[in-house]
Amino acid sequence: MPTVEELYRNYGILADATEQVGQHKDAYQVILDGVKGGTKEKRLAAQFIPKFFKHFPELADSAINAQLDLCEDEDVSIRRQAIKELPQFATGENLPRVADILTQLLQTDDSAEFNLVNNALLSIFKMDAKGTLGGLFSQILQGEDIVRERAIKFLSTKLKTLPDEVLTKEVEELILTESKKVLEDVTGEEFVLFMKILSGLKSLQTVSGRQQLVELVAEQADLEQTFNPSDPDCVDRLLQCTRQAVPLFSKNVHSTRFVTYFCEQVLPNLSSLTTPVEGLDIQLEVLKLLAEMSSFCGDMEKLETNLRKLFDKLLEYMPLPPEEAENGENAGNEEPKLQFSYVECLLYSFHQLGRKLPDFLTAKLNAEKLKDFKIRLQYFARGLQVYIRQLRLALQGKTGEALKTEENKIKVVALKITNNINVLIKDLFHIPPSYKSTVTLSWKPVQKVEIGQKRANEDTTSGSPPKKSSAGPKRDARQIYNPPSGKYSSNLGNFNYEQRGAFRGSRGGRSWGARGNRSRGRLY
């Protein structure tokens, strides 16, 4: 093992050799042997080995392996120095290997090391994006779970920071190709991250690009398969996929395939849906997604059939007036509860699809059914007016901070819901029924948001190793508002839904909570 003095002497030989440095192979070998020495020798070796690496291609493997030994040293300062110098080894055919090594080093729990690894990866990304992606995706496909997880997180947070000259069209095509391979076996959380990665690519901002993403999501959602409402994993997968698809829909990228599936497979089984998420109103979540998608539905093959299914489901939430006794009072013990949130979603979806078949209520329903519907609408509208008056009275004169209390926030949302229903019911009371009014769904922002902006600023970059995300809520918890009179009830607000379990992996008999078995151990 060389001493510190010997290392400096051989360093001097190489430094003084200038253009003839490659002729001093023995001197470089002494420096490589420095990794077997003590702390001081290792620190010098970590700096000297990369400095002259390019001059000794025949010793490339030995040099890289020597540096890797230092990257795994017990002394943290030696590890950090060795990692910092790794990009200098990323030349020619060595670059994918260095990228592979750096990707594996993402598993460190030391924040300073983690930052060095991130910076080193970004550095070689700018040298050769394709080669770096090769190393990253190699570990995503074959590496250990912690490495895979952090490599995906690296792509989801760092790609967007790279300049256009690095993320060329060819590079983006490679990302899409490799991502498709990974999507054959992903967890729910991984799927969401990959959708974020892909939807941020410039080449996929076009109509055809968005359509391609929708098809990817549809494939993950397994829309060709019969829906099983009693299987929480099946329900979970469909909702997570639909949630990823919704921001992609537009007047040019249609939601027809998803809306059709919801009408044909999900609505008839709405009451049977099961979910692994405690406290989630799964039925309302399904109806909200359907409502959001209905605005972008294109030409539907079985429009009348599916509109009828939607209409029948709407009727379930629009009760008939209670029968009156001879004295004019209610014969029953109590009036039916009006499910405003459910009705907003169903009525909005019916209103959107009804535009495509405007004579549905007048020509496709018999007179008795239409009369029954009008009675239900009228009864619901009466209860609606009472509720709107109560809410307006409760909010009257409140401004600024007063409206920010939890109770008043819920009342504001409730007022949006009831106003929306009111507008839609008025449309349907026209003769013939009209479908011209436009409303903004109560949980959506009032201002118009461009499709491409919905994914902006969703993530922040941390300087520390990512921690395992808790299984807890990731959105604002849904709130439940009980009107003062006790006659009406409404579930309001945004829901919370975990991202969990495997998607495609479950098709091969693998469990929902884990992907298929992959090789273990370092690939250095």
Side-chain angles (χ1 to χ4, degrees):
M1 292 182 290
T3 63
V4 170
E5 291 75 18
E6 289 173 319
L7 287 173
Y8 273 119
R9 184 169 64 252
N10 283 279
Y11 173 84
I13 292 170
L14 295 174
D16 293 341
T18 58
E19 294 181 3
Q20 284 76 43
V21 64
Q23 297 175 11
H24 298 277
K25 183 177 176 181
D26 291 344
Y28 192 59
Q29 185 61 58
V30 171
I31 289 175
L32 293 182
D33 291 338
V35 301
K36 301 172 185 174
T39 301
K40 292 180 180 179
E41 290 79 9
K42 288 178 180 178
R43 283 178 184 165
L44 289 176
Q47 298 173 58
F48 295 168
I49 291 172
K51 186 172 181 65
F52 300 105
F53 170 74
K54 64 182 179 181
H55 299 292
F56 300 96
E58 69 277 17
L59 292 175
D61 281 345
S62 298
I64 292 174
N65 288 331
Q67 195 78 2
L68 288 180
D69 287 342
L70 298 175
C71 288
E72 296 183 320
D73 196 83
E74 292 181 359
D75 189 316
V76 66
S77 64
I78 293 172
R79 291 201 307 270
R80 290 175 184 173
Q81 181 65 44
I83 291 169
K84 182 180 178 182
E85 303 294 345
L86 271 179
Q88 294 193 55
F89 295 86
T91 57
E93 61 184 17
N94 294 316
L95 189 140
R97 183 184 177 195
V98 173
D100 191 288
I101 291 163
L102 283 168
T103 305
Q104 293 182 60
L105 291 172
L106 284 170
Q107 65 187 291
T108 180
D109 290 323
D110 181 275
S111 60
E113 275 184 62
F114 184 77
N115 283 338
L116 286 170
V117 174
N118 272 271
N119 292 336
L121 273 170
L122 283 172
S123 175
I124 65 170
F125 221 117
K126 293 169 185 175
M127 297 178 198
D128 180 354
K130 286 186 175 181
T132 307
L133 286 169
L136 281 160
F137 276 103
S138 170
Q139 284 300 313
I140 289 172
L141 287 165
Q142 303 176 53
E144 297 185 37
D145 285 343
I146 182 66
V147 175
R148 174 184 170 106
E149 176 188 324
R150 293 188 179 180
I152 294 172
K153 196 67 180 286
F154 174 87
L155 287 174
S156 70
T157 57
K158 303 296 185 183
L159 279 183
K160 61 189 177 185
T161 68
L162 295 169
D164 291 348
E165 56 266 27
V166 175
L167 282 181
T168 63
K169 185 178 180 182
E170 284 186 355
V171 171
E172 291 195 343
E173 286 174 354
L174 177 61
I175 294 171
L176 177 59
T177 300
E178 294 299 314
S179 295
K180 286 180 178 178
K181 295 176 187 175
V182 180
L183 287 173
E184 291 178 7
D185 183 12
V186 288
T187 66
E189 187 171 359
E190 289 171 346
F191 172 65
V192 171
L193 286 174
F194 267 101
M195 287 306 300
K196 179 182 170 186
I197 291 167
L198 295 176
S199 60
L201 300 179
K202 293 187 299 295
S203 58
L204 294 177
Q205 301 296 326
T206 61
V207 170
S208 60
R210 292 296 179 206
Q211 188 60 53
Q212 201 172 350
L213 289 176
V214 168
E215 288 166 6
L216 267 179
V217 178
E219 187 178 350
Q220 283 289 333
D222 224 357
L223 298 183
E224 301 301 322
Q225 299 297 316
T226 302
F227 182 65
N228 183 0
S230 61
D231 180 0
D233 296 339
C234 179
V235 176
D236 188 17
R237 180 172 62 241
L238 176 64
L239 296 194
Q240 287 199 56
C241 288
T242 305
R243 200 168 303 115
Q244 294 306 308
V246 165
L248 301 171
F249 297 134
S250 67
K251 63 180 181 179
N252 296 315
V253 181
H254 294 155
S255 59
T256 315
R257 193 174 172 192
F258 280 84
V259 173
T260 299
Y261 190 83
F262 269 60
C263 289
E264 293 179 353
Q265 300 270 350
V266 185
L267 278 185
N269 296 298
L270 193 65
S271 60
S272 307
L273 295 178
T274 52
T275 174
V277 184
E278 186 178 352
L280 173 68
D281 187 340
I282 189 70
Q283 295 181 43
L284 181 56
E285 163 58 2
V286 164
L287 295 179
K288 288 172 84 169
L289 288 171
L290 175 60
E292 288 193 55
M293 294 189 293
S294 65
S295 305
F296 304 112
C297 186
D299 295 334
M300 186 182 286
E301 284 186 17
K302 301 176 182 176
L303 177 59
E304 184 181 337
T305 302
N306 289 327
L307 197 54
R308 191 175 295 275
K309 288 179 179 177
L310 189 52
F311 176 78
D312 290 342
K313 185 57 64 175
L314 174 61
L315 288 185
E316 291 181 24
Y317 293 95
M318 301 202 73
L320 285 165
E323 294 182 9
E324 293 187 352
E326 290 183 4
N327 60 4
E329 295 182 358
N330 291 344
N333 293 327
E334 61 179 26
E335 292 186 12
K337 287 187 177 180
L338 306 183
Q339 304 274 9
F340 294 110
S341 292
Y342 285 50
V343 170
E344 179 195 19
C345 298
L346 286 164
L347 203 54
Y348 182 89
S349 300
F350 179 78
H351 194 265
Q352 292 294 317
L353 295 187
R355 291 175 178 174
K356 300 178 182 299
L357 194 64
D359 65 346
F360 175 80
L361 289 174
T362 53
K364 307 299 181 182
L365 292 181
N366 60 47
E368 277 302 311
K369 194 123 185 177
L370 180 58
K371 180 182 177 183
D372 172 84
F373 183 52
K374 288 289 182 76
I375 291 172
R376 292 171 188 267
L377 279 179
Q378 198 168 31
Y379 174 67
F380 203 96
R382 284 206 309 268
L384 197 66
Q385 295 305 319
V386 173
Y387 195 12
I388 289 173
R389 283 197 298 272
Q390 290 175 345
L391 288 168
R392 285 178 176 165
L393 188 62
L395 294 171
Q396 189 174 9
K398 291 184 172 62
T399 57
E401 291 301 317
L403 289 174
K404 292 180 182 178
T405 66
E406 286 305 308
E407 183 181 353
N408 284 333
K409 277 196 224 174
I410 296 172
K411 288 176 181 175
V412 168
V413 175
L415 190 57
K416 288 181 184 177
I417 293 173
T418 48
N419 280 333
N420 283 347
I421 297 173
N422 198 35
V423 170
L424 297 174
I425 285 180
K426 283 181 179 178
D427 250 18
L428 296 182
F429 263 125
H430 281 125
I431 302 176
S434 169
Y435 298 92
K436 293 179 181 179
S437 294
T438 58
V439 299
T440 300
L441 290 164
S442 59
W443 62 92
K444 304 291 287 181
V446 175
Q447 69 272 22
K448 185 177 179 181
V449 178
E450 294 299 326
I451 298 298
Q453 294 176 341
K454 292 187 179 180
R455 288 169 295 279
N457 302 322
E458 288 180 358
D459 198 62
T460 55
T461 303
S462 171
S464 301
K467 294 183 172 59
K468 294 267 186 184
S469 57
S470 67
K474 295 189 179 177
R475 284 194 177 186
D476 297 335
R478 169 173 284 128
Q479 304 163 42
I480 299 177
Y481 177 64
N482 295 313
S485 66
K487 293 165 71 175
Y488 317 112
S489 67
S490 173
N491 292 330
L492 309 174
N494 289 332
F495 77 101
N496 174 321
Y497 206 62
E498 293 179 305
Q499 296 160 355
R500 62 180 292 278
F503 277 30
R504 303 291 293 279
S506 60
R507 299 180 192 180
R510 299 167 185 152
S511 69
W512 178 263
R515 289 172 281 106
N517 293 325
R518 298 186 309 282
S519 62
R520 288 289 181 266
R522 291 186 178 273
L523 300 178
Y524 290 162

